[in-house]
Amino acid sequence: MSEHWPHGALLVLGASEEQIALYQEARRRGIPTIAVDVRPDAPALPFADAALKISTRNTGAIADALGDARPAGIVGGASDAALASWHALGLRYGTPYVYPRGALAAGDKAAFHAIATSCGITGYGWTASDEPDKVVAEATRLRFPLVIKPADGSGSKGVTRVARSEDLHAAIAHARSTPPPRRP
C-alpha cells in the first residue's frame, strides 16, 4: 500500500458542492476518503482525507497517482462525467461494486437512443453528426420546436431551443463552440 494514501479509503470521483454530504457521512462512519477533482477550489475538497487534482475522466492518471494503493471502494455522484471512470476503475481494483457497463449509455446519446429503440420505447426524433450541414438537413425533417445541443456534454451548456429552420445554423454553431468535457 502506498504510504501517503489512507488505508481502506473510498475513492470519490468528484468534489462538487453536491458531494459534501457524501464526504461528511464517510467521515462520520470512519471511512477515509480520497477525492478526485481537477479543480483546486472544488467545494468538497476540505472534507476529504486526501485529494488527487486530476480529471475524473482520466482513469490512467488516477491509477498512476494511486500507485500501489488499492481503494476499498469507488463512488461517483452528482454528475455523469465520471461514470466511465467509475466502471473502469472498479474493474481495475476489483471493488465490491462496479458501475454497470450498460448504464454508461446514459452519457452517450446515440447509444441511449439505440437501446431505447431496441426495447420498443417510443422516443423523439433526433439526429447527430460532426457535419453541421448534415444536422441541418436531418433536423428540417423533424418537428419544431427543436433543441440543439452538443452530443457530449452535460447540463445546459451549448443548448438552444430552435423554433424555425432559419435558426438552425446559429444554434449548431453555438453548440459546436461549447468546449467539450475534458478527456483523459
Side-chain angles (χ1 to χ4, degrees):
M1 178 94 181
S2 177
E3 293 180 35
H4 63 286
W5 301 115
H7 180 73
L10 178 65
L11 185 68
V12 182
L13 301 173
S16 67
E17 182 176 357
E18 297 83 3
Q19 292 168 295
I20 291 173
L22 185 153
Y23 288 97
Q24 290 174 322
E25 182 63 18
R27 180 163 290 155
R28 188 186 74 72
R29 292 176 183 232
I31 301 168
T33 56
I34 302 171
V36 179
D37 201 304
V38 72
R39 299 167 304 149
D41 62 343
L45 287 178
F47 298 92
D49 296 293
L52 296 172
K53 291 187 178 79
I54 298 171
S55 169
T56 59
R57 294 177 184 253
N58 195 336
T59 56
I62 294 167
D64 289 347
L66 289 174
D68 294 335
R70 299 192 67 77
I74 300 168
V75 66
S79 168
D80 62 355
L83 298 181
S85 295
W86 187 358
H87 174 77
L89 291 166
L91 290 174
R92 178 185 185 110
Y93 293 111
T95 56
Y97 176 80
V98 175
Y99 190 82
R101 180 175 175 80
L104 295 175
D108 180 336
K109 291 167 186 64
F112 175 80
H113 283 286
I115 290 170
T117 300
S118 74
C119 295
I121 298 171
T122 303
Y124 51 86
W126 70 284
T127 186
S129 176
D130 288 333
E131 300 172 33
D133 289 337
K134 184 176 179 182
V135 173
V136 169
E138 293 292 323
T140 57
R141 296 184 191 131
L142 301 174
R143 191 178 67 201
F144 284 83
L146 304 174
V147 173
I148 302 294
K149 62 187 288 182
D152 187 5
S154 63
S156 58
K157 297 175 191 104
V159 176
T160 305
R161 182 181 185 275
V162 178
R164 308 170 312 149
S165 61
E166 302 84 58
D167 299 328
L168 284 168
H169 284 287
I172 293 167
H174 175 64
R176 291 173 58 86
S177 72
T178 302
R182 292 186 181 129
R183 293 288 184 209

